[in-house]
Amino acid sequence: MSTITTVTEFWGALWQAVGRVLLLDATVFPAVRATAGGLELALCILLLAGISQTLGQSVTLFANRVSRRRFLRALVLSALVFYVERRVLGRRRSGWIARLIFGYDGPLRGVLISVGLSYAPLLFGLFVFLPYLGNPLAHLLRIWVLLATIVAIVSNAGLPIMQALVCVVVGWIVWQAASSYAGRRIEQVLDAVERRLLGTTLSDTLDLSSEVARERERLRAR
Amino acid sequence: MGWLLPQLVTLAGVALTAALIIAWCSPFEALGWWAGWSGGLDDDVGALPRVVQPSTTRSYLVYLTGIGGFAPNEEGYSRRELSFFDGLSAQLPDVVLVHDVFPFSVSNNPLDGQRQLAGLWSWLHSRVRKPGGALLYNLVMTRNMMQVAVSSDRRYGPIYNYGVGREIAQSLVRHGYRPDSYTPVVLLGVSGGGQVALGAAPTVRALLGAPVTVISLAGVLSDDPGIDTIEHLYHLQGSRDRVPLLGALLFPGRWPWVGHSNWNRAQHDGRITLIDTGPMTHMGEHEYLARRAVLPNGQRHVDHTIELIEKIFVEEGLCARTQQSAVSSQQG
């Protein structure tokens, strides 16, 4: 097992791994698994992907008129939520499904590394902020992550591609069901954290009506 | 020649990177304004004196410049545009012409206004007629083009278009428009200004209670929801101008097979009229406002463009002239 000893080595290994994941190179997954510090490397990619993704979708923060200081807090909070969600709850589902349906019994550390790496395409998430191109790019990145996840499962569990695809699809359905069941409670917790950190709860929709009404009055009063 | 290729690749790389940075930063002006980071929302609407218009005023025409625009004033407009304004005012004496709104800023902040890169934009503008200046001015056009992309983006468009619409409404009030008077408002947008006109129309309508018509002069138009709130869209395009076709190509809502898009619905309902202006180009010596270029019938391009706009005003009853008087004046 190779070992990463310096920060420079860590970043070098990280960008090399990212490049190979982006090319959907299946050999990168066992290589990182066989590296001491591979888990940290994969989780670092996941965290950076979370920050990039959050930056790309920061229009919600602006629409909610958060101040600059709270904007930074919200970025950190959203990136952490992304990280924790994927690390603790999210993609481990594919590992469980691989165990339940296909009898795979490998270590979950391997699953976590593979899945952390497979989020590497979201390092480009900040480009979702681009006007016009942002939306199609977001779809492209989702597909890229999906493909990388399939390659990761094939590599980690040694499953055929179709079975890996089933894992991902069933995992997605389970996640949607779990989200809708537990969603309200999770949302309440996140709302409370948002209120605490940002002083407001973020809304996904932009409401211009009160602003329009105020401006109408100003123009008429003139 | 082998040495040239790496240089060109480097140059293309630098240009692409610059375009990417400009594109990525482009939504910040509108979003920062909305979030209150630049304090723009508390502008005083009464900052300028209000003009009282004569009772004969039939409608208001707001001019929104194209992506080459720099500032909505004498220094910022080209000589062709200033001459165009004179021609419009002469032909439409009972229409109030408003041209002090900069469509590529959410707070009507011109490129030489209070902004961090004002020095750069001013320098580029001052060099536009010097050797190499036109090439460098592409930076200004890229910057403005990205604001058009912001206007047409469903995530940023509502904020951006609200901001520009609000500035148009404030300018109209300064020029004597009385809210809820139902006096018609016409937004005339050139090139990228056409998209901004379409996007801002719902706000103008909501703030002033005004019926809004949009005239797009070679506009690059998206499938903007604003099209559902306007009276009519007139799209003027020259037969030698391919630039407006970008809108039809880049925005899926304008593809004919996307059945229930705002654009296709409006077209089906007859709320869009396409007008061929003749062999005019998007830019250069043969563009729509050119004073030297003439059509095969000898008419100057700018005069023909004004004539077509006047015809729209006459047909829509937006000016006092009737179709008969317009015809007789042309014959005379």
Side-chain angles (χ1 to χ4, degrees):
Chain A
M1 181 179 272
S2 61
T3 313
I4 297 170
T5 50
T6 64
V7 175
T8 316
E9 273 180 20
F10 181 81
W11 284 109
L14 188 142
W15 294 120
Q16 199 184 23
V18 166
R20 288 167 69 186
V21 173
L22 295 178
L23 294 170
L24 302 178
D25 176 1
T27 61
V28 69
F29 299 99
V32 175
R33 277 201 303 274
T35 306
L39 181 63
E40 288 74 15
L41 191 137
L43 294 180
C44 187
I45 289 175
L46 193 58
L47 188 62
L48 290 175
I51 293 170
S52 181
Q53 163 101 335
T54 306
L55 209 54
Q57 295 177 346
S58 57
V59 61
T60 312
L61 300 176
F62 284 105
N64 282 276
R65 290 175 157 169
V66 296
S67 66
R68 285 173 209 240
R69 188 187 291 174
R70 286 175 174 169
F71 183 86
L72 284 176
R73 278 190 213 165
L75 275 186
V76 174
L77 174 67
S78 303
L80 284 176
V81 167
F82 176 90
Y83 172 81
V84 172
E85 189 183 271
R86 265 66 179 182
R87 179 178 172 176
V88 181
L89 303 169
R91 290 295 176 171
R92 285 177 73 167
R93 66 187 185 264
S94 297
W96 295 333
I97 287 156
R99 278 174 191 233
L100 286 172
I101 301 178
F102 302 111
Y104 163 70
D105 60 353
L108 279 177
R109 174 185 175 273
V111 175
L112 207 51
I113 286 178
S114 300
V115 164
L117 288 177
S118 67
Y119 272 92
L122 285 192
L123 289 171
F124 293 118
L126 78 156
F127 291 110
V128 170
F129 195 70
L130 285 170
Y132 178 75
L133 290 175
N135 274 328
L137 186 67
H139 292 302
L140 183 75
L141 291 179
R142 263 182 234 129
I143 293 170
W144 208 345
V145 169
L146 178 75
L147 293 175
T149 307
I150 292 170
V151 172
I153 292 174
V154 168
S155 160
N156 192 48
L159 297 176
I161 285 183
M162 283 314 292
Q163 290 188 5
L165 189 63
V166 169
C167 284
V168 172
V169 171
V170 174
W172 183 81
I173 293 168
V174 169
W175 176 244
Q176 293 302 313
S179 298
S180 63
Y181 178 72
R184 193 171 293 176
R185 289 302 290 270
I186 293 170
E187 217 165 84
Q188 281 173 351
V189 173
L190 287 178
D191 283 355
V193 174
E194 276 174 5
R195 265 196 303 275
R196 176 101 180 147
L197 284 177
L198 310 177
T200 180
T201 306
L202 297 178
S203 164
D204 286 339
T205 53
L206 174 70
D207 184 17
L208 286 167
S209 55
S210 58
E211 193 57 45
V212 169
R214 199 168 69 93
E215 188 62 24
R216 269 174 70 98
E217 287 312 309
R218 289 176 69 194
L219 290 170
R220 274 154 190 73
R222 196 165 177 273
Chain B
M1 291 296 284
W3 60 271
L4 191 62
L5 191 65
Q7 309 277 356
L8 284 176
V9 170
T10 308
L11 197 65
V14 170
L16 195 68
T17 308
L20 201 63
I21 291 171
I22 292 175
W24 198 82
C25 294
S26 57
F28 277 113
E29 186 176 337
L31 296 178
W33 166 81
W34 174 256
W37 293 9
S38 53
L41 268 170
D42 291 325
D43 291 347
D44 184 7
V45 68
L48 290 173
R50 182 176 175 166
V51 179
V52 177
Q53 297 295 346
S55 58
T56 51
T57 297
R58 293 294 293 265
S59 61
Y60 287 74
L61 171 60
V62 183
Y63 177 80
L64 301 173
T65 190
I67 59 166
F70 174 73
N73 52 39
E74 296 243 334
E75 289 77 40
Y77 284 125
S78 66
R79 275 174 286 184
R80 285 177 183 173
E81 283 175 308
L82 294 172
S83 158
F84 174 63
F85 298 155
D86 291 342
L88 274 178
S89 298
Q91 290 302 308
L92 302 167
D94 49 358
V95 175
V96 177
L97 177 60
V98 175
H99 48 70
D100 62 357
V101 178
F102 184 54
F104 308 114
S105 163
V106 75
S107 54
N108 202 12
N109 186 15
L111 293 187
D112 60 349
Q114 290 185 338
R115 54 174 74 238
Q116 286 176 339
L117 294 179
L120 170 69
W121 304 128
S122 296
W123 181 76
L124 291 170
H125 188 249
S126 68
R127 287 193 58 86
V128 71
R129 293 191 186 281
K130 294 179 181 163
L135 185 69
L136 284 174
Y137 201 71
N138 281 320
L139 266 178
V140 171
M141 294 176 67
T142 306
R143 184 259 168 214
N144 289 345
M145 194 165 64
M146 291 309 156
Q147 296 304 310
V148 178
V150 170
S151 165
S152 64
D153 191 302
R154 295 288 168 101
R155 297 168 298 170
Y156 312 126
I159 289 175
Y160 184 88
N161 295 327
Y162 170 71
V164 178
R166 177 176 172 269
E167 291 296 337
I168 293 172
Q170 289 187 359
S171 176
L172 282 165
V173 169
R174 284 198 301 269
H175 282 83
Y177 191 95
R178 286 184 295 110
D180 294 330
S181 64
Y182 302 105
T183 308
V185 171
V186 179
L187 304 181
L188 168 60
V190 180
S191 185
Q195 159 58 33
V196 179
L198 209 49
T203 300
V204 177
R205 186 186 175 98
L207 293 181
L208 300 177
V212 179
T213 298
V214 173
I215 300 177
S216 142
L217 184 55
V220 180
L221 306 173
S222 77
D223 166 44
D224 198 284
I227 205 166
D228 283 341
T229 63
I230 62 173
E231 304 299 304
H232 204 94
L233 168 65
Y234 292 92
H235 178 68
L236 280 63
Q237 186 179 335
S239 57
R240 291 172 62 194
D241 184 1
R242 297 281 172 267
V243 177
L245 300 179
L246 279 176
L249 189 74
L250 294 177
F251 296 101
R254 290 201 50 194
W255 298 345
W257 53 88
V258 179
H260 290 287
S261 69
N262 301 309
W263 181 275
N264 288 332
R265 237 186 1 254
Q267 206 159 34
H268 181 262
D269 297 345
R271 286 184 284 120
I272 299 176
T273 302
L274 307 177
I275 299 171
D276 182 4
T277 62
M280 297 185 188
T281 56
H282 200 76
M283 293 195 296
E285 290 176 12
H286 298 278
E287 58 121 330
Y288 300 85
L289 307 186
R291 293 171 294 173
R292 293 205 182 97
V294 290
L295 294 169
N297 66 3
Q299 189 179 27
R300 295 192 310 165
H301 282 197
V302 64
D303 293 336
H304 187 56
T305 302
I306 291 172
E307 185 185 303
L308 290 172
I309 292 170
E310 183 195 359
K311 202 172 158 198
I312 293 168
F313 272 75
V314 169
E315 282 177 5
E316 291 282 334
L318 299 166
C319 63
R321 297 179 85 181
T322 62
Q323 290 193 29
Q324 278 182 332
S325 66
V327 168
S328 59
S329 104
Q330 281 161 26
Q331 284 170 348

